[in-house]
């Protein structure tokens, strides 16, 4: 799935433009990959943005699992810390729902860190990016 500058928000800041979303099924799980518009330059992911992968596991076209990502500022080496939350069930459709006990924070280290394994999921996936609105709620692109 490609989203090349398909929203007003993405046209304002290419770091919010999810260019591609990939799903790779492996022998030990599933890998989800999201990248932002390559013309965003060295900025990477927007540090005030919120990125989501929504997974439908039962074929009803409604997400049952939502992975939410936020990113820190880009370091001088181009790397960013990131935070991942997993929201399950009915809460997966709520843009303001929190994730109890299903959060991971990864900070860049001098050597490559091994990412934590996440429970594999099956079904369809879609992504979105957003910025907080002044009222504190989140607006979707």
């Amino acid at each position: 799935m490609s989203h090349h500058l398909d929203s007003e928000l993405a046209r304002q800041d290419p770091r919010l433009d999810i260019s591609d979303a990939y799903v790779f099924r492996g022998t030990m799980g599933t890998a989800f990959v999201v990248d932002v518009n390559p013309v965003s330059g060295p900025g990477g992911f927007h540090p005030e943005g919120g990125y989501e992968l929504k997974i439908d596991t039962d074929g009803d076209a409604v997400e049952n699992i939502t992975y939410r990502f936020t990113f820190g500022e880009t370091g001088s080496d181009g790397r960013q810390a990131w935070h991942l939350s997993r929201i399950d069930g009915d809460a997966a459709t709520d843009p303001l729902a929190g994730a109890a006990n299903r959060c991971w924070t990864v900070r860049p280290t001098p050597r490559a860190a091994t990412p934590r394994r996440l429970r594999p999921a099956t079904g369809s996936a879609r992504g979105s990016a957003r910025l907080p609105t002044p009222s504190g709620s989140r607006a979707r692109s």
Side-chain angles (χ1 to χ4, degrees), residues 8-126:
E8 183 60 33
L9 188 59
R11 286 188 286 279
Q12 291 174 18
D13 191 326
R15 296 175 298 174
L16 296 170
D17 182 20
I18 295 176
S19 296
D20 300 290
Y22 304 94
V23 179
F24 300 98
R25 185 177 193 114
T27 58
M28 299 194 56
T30 303
F32 296 92
V33 179
V34 174
D35 61 9
V36 291
N37 190 325
V39 299
S40 65
F45 291 92
H46 197 296
E48 294 179 35
Y51 301 85
E52 295 181 334
L53 280 173
K54 298 173 181 243
I55 318 291
D56 172 24
T57 61
D58 58 13
D60 65 354
V62 176
E63 61 267 28
N64 306 99
I65 301 169
T66 296
Y67 289 106
R68 291 203 176 120
F69 299 84
T70 56
F71 293 85
E73 295 289 339
T74 304
S76 60
D77 61 357
R79 295 170 16 159
Q80 291 177 275
W82 54 277
H83 179 82
L84 167 66
S85 299
R86 176 181 165 146
I87 299 103
D88 295 301
D90 292 338
T93 63
D94 181 352
L96 301 176
N101 301 322
R102 289 188 176 255
C103 300
W104 301 267
T105 299
V106 178
R107 291 177 180 79
T109 59
R111 57 176 208 224
T114 303
R116 293 180 183 237
R117 282 185 48 196
L118 302 177
R119 193 173 86 203
T122 59
S124 61
R126 59 189 168 94

